[in-house]
């Protein structure tokens, strides 16, 4: 399936919103209005979950369904292998950076409660957000990667259990609405970022499934007047949020509609999310997302000491470091490791074949 470049591009913008969310309180002279915008940066993760469900349904639902019908049993292991190859190597590298920082702190007589060594095995295995702990630790943003792993493991069951193509559009919309209402009721919290160790996995699973429904709707609504209706729905949802409607109810619905609208308008002329630079930021967004938190901790130790207000010059230096680290990690770690792991099964099969008499 041809890439929807707009979706890749907007992923990069979302990743930088998470960066600014984590540093917002330290930026000297940041206007209150802008600080309030960045304070909602954690919501970008909800967009990631929806986008992940969309892309993976688009890419893999047919393959898994066909593999199950053919009875060869290879499509599901291949899907899981490719997803692990996508997320795990870079996670290990950034987690390794956190461990190195923790060891430096210990060697110099300092301690950071962020680095909980007894829980390190959970983080290595990406199980840290499956209800085994009551707090975030080590590389905070990796909690969502742990939740995504849970969604990947359950995705084949979703494909086998339901074929969205066979349901009418109204039924799909009703199911999506029911899922998001269920998330709101289950959380019973003021924000989507409340108690991530408790609700993060549920938040991911429901939004990931909703993203798959959005993909099914996009597949049947391409070339229709749906973008117009989507724009109206966004205006209504934004208005509801502004007058006090619950974030846990309105924001996932708002993002689901925005995702559908982005997909429906992808490929149009002059789409700003498809330009070369924005698209490239989307390609390196996983490295940006996973590296910025530990880089911020290291940066503060090296350049900021205990100051709460960091000058704009130093903030610019940190942002440049995040960008350069993202580029380096993407090209030197993420992509090479993904390609190597993806080729590993065929290499093993070739090796076994050569060893036969």
């Amino acid at each position: 399936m041809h890439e929807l470049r707009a979706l890749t591009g907007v992923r990069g913008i979302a990743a930088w919103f998470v960066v600014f969310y984590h540093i917002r309180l330290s930026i000297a002279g940041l206007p209150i209005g802008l600080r309030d915008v960045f304070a909602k940066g954690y919501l970008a993760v909800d967009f990631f979950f929806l986008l992940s469900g969309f892309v993976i349904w688009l890419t893999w639902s047919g393959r898994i369904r066909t593999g199950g019908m053919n009875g060869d049993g290879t499509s599901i292991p291949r899907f899981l292998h490719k997803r692990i190859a996508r997320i795990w190597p870079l996670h290990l590298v950034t987690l390794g950076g956190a461990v190195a920082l923790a060891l430096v702190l210990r060697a110099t007589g300092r301690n950071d409660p962020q680095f909980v060594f007894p829980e390190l095995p959970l983080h290595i295995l990406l199980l840290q957000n499956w209800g085994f702990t009551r707090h975030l630790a080590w590389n905070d943003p990796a909690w969502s990667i742990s939740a995504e792993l849970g969604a990947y493991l359950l995705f084949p069951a979703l494909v086998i259990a339901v074929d969205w193509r066979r349901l009418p559009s109204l039924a799909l919309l009703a199911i999506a609405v029911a899922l998001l209402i269920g998330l709101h009721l289950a959380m019973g919290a003021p924000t989507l970022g409340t108690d991530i160790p408790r609700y993060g996995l549920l938040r991911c699973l429901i939004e990931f499934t909703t993203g798959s429904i959005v993909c099914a709707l996009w597949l049947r609504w391409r070339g229709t007047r749906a973008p117009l209706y989507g724009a109206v729905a966004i205006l209504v949802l934004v208005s509801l949020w502004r007058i006090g409607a619950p974030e846990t109810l309105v924001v996932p619905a708002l993002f689901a509609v925005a995702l559908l609208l982005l997909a429906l308008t992808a490929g149009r002329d002059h789409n700003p999310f498809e330009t070369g630079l924005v698209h490239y930021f989307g390609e390196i967004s996983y490295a940006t997302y996973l590296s910025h938190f530990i880089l911020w901790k290291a940066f503060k130790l090296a350049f900021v000491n205990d100051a709460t207000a960091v000058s704009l010059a130093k903030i610019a230096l940190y942002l440049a470091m995040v960008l350069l680290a993202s580029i380096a990690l993407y090209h030197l770690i993420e992509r090479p490791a993904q390609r190597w792991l993806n080729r590993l099964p065929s290499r093993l099969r070739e090796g076994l074949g050569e060893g036969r008499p």
Side-chain angles (χ1 to χ4, degrees):
M1 179 66 68
H2 182 67
E3 177 195 11
L4 297 175
R5 287 175 60 89
L7 301 188
T8 301
V10 79
R11 193 174 67 207
I13 296 172
W16 280 97
F17 261 102
V18 178
V19 175
F20 281 103
Y21 167 73
H22 281 125
I23 69 173
R24 70 193 187 283
L25 298 178
S26 297
I27 303 176
L30 185 67
I32 293 177
L34 197 53
R35 183 175 298 175
D36 290 343
V37 171
F38 290 153
K40 292 297 183 181
Y42 63 89
L43 294 175
V45 177
D46 297 276
F47 185 80
F48 287 145
F49 290 152
L50 286 157
L51 178 58
S52 183
F54 182 106
V55 172
I56 289 176
W57 184 270
L58 179 64
T59 307
W60 282 99
S61 61
R63 301 184 198 180
I64 290 175
R65 190 176 297 111
T66 301
M69 291 173 61
N70 293 339
D72 58 13
T74 61
S75 54
I76 294 176
R78 186 164 177 263
F79 162 72
L80 295 174
H81 175 87
K82 281 186 170 290
R83 296 319 302 167
I84 291 171
R86 173 72 177 88
I87 65 173
W88 196 52
L90 190 59
H91 162 67
L92 279 186
V93 170
T94 53
L95 181 59
V99 172
L101 181 58
L103 293 175
V104 168
L105 289 174
R106 281 197 172 189
T108 54
R110 291 173 288 178
N111 184 50
D112 188 330
Q114 181 75 25
F115 303 131
V116 186
F117 276 91
E119 295 180 6
L120 187 56
L122 291 174
H123 290 258
I124 292 172
L125 297 174
L126 278 174
L127 302 178
Q128 70 268 32
N129 211 68
W130 289 19
F132 299 114
T133 64
R134 298 303 306 148
H135 55 268
L136 298 180
W138 291 100
N139 188 16
D140 272 10
W143 76 263
S144 64
I145 312 305
S146 171
E148 285 257 1
L149 177 61
Y152 299 157
L153 293 174
L154 292 175
F155 178 71
L158 173 66
V159 173
I160 293 169
V162 63
D163 186 350
W164 299 135
R165 299 173 303 174
R166 298 181 179 275
L167 298 179
S169 297
L170 283 178
L172 293 181
L173 290 170
I175 293 170
V177 169
L179 285 170
L180 297 182
I181 291 175
L183 175 62
H184 166 68
L185 295 176
M187 289 191 67
T191 72
L192 285 162
T194 300
D195 200 355
I196 288 173
R198 182 178 182 183
Y199 296 117
L201 181 60
L202 176 67
R203 182 175 156 197
C204 173
L205 295 178
I206 289 181
E207 290 172 343
F208 183 97
T209 304
T210 303
S212 72
I213 295 175
V214 172
C215 179
L217 291 171
W218 170 75
L219 287 170
R220 67 179 61 173
W221 285 353
R222 287 176 292 176
T224 69
R225 295 173 60 88
L228 175 62
Y229 302 132
V232 172
I234 286 177
L235 290 175
V236 171
L237 290 167
V238 169
S239 299
L240 289 173
W241 192 18
R242 287 178 62 86
I243 64 175
E247 176 180 297
T248 51
L249 180 61
V250 173
V251 170
L254 173 63
F255 285 171
V257 176
L259 174 60
L260 179 59
L261 189 59
L262 279 168
L264 289 169
T265 57
R268 304 284 178 88
D269 292 339
H270 310 298
N271 189 321
F273 299 113
E274 298 186 6
T275 58
L277 184 60
V278 175
H279 180 263
Y280 181 69
F281 272 39
E283 288 189 318
I284 64 173
S285 61
Y286 185 51
T288 302
Y289 181 74
L290 276 188
S291 67
H292 78 274
F293 185 82
I294 297 303
L295 281 174
W296 180 237
K297 277 189 166 291
F299 183 84
K300 288 192 293 182
L301 288 170
F303 298 105
V304 180
N305 298 321
D306 294 326
T308 54
V310 182
S311 69
L312 292 181
K314 288 184 176 179
I315 290 294
L317 176 60
Y318 162 73
L319 296 177
M321 288 175 56
V322 172
L323 178 57
L324 291 174
S326 301
I327 294 170
L329 288 169
Y330 174 76
H331 290 287
L332 301 178
I333 302 295
E334 180 184 343
R335 293 296 291 155
Q338 185 179 0
R339 286 193 294 266
W340 187 85
L341 286 173
N342 283 336
R343 289 195 298 263
L344 186 59
S346 60
R347 288 178 174 176
L348 290 176
R349 286 194 297 269
E350 290 173 4
L352 291 172
E354 292 173 359
R356 291 173 184 167

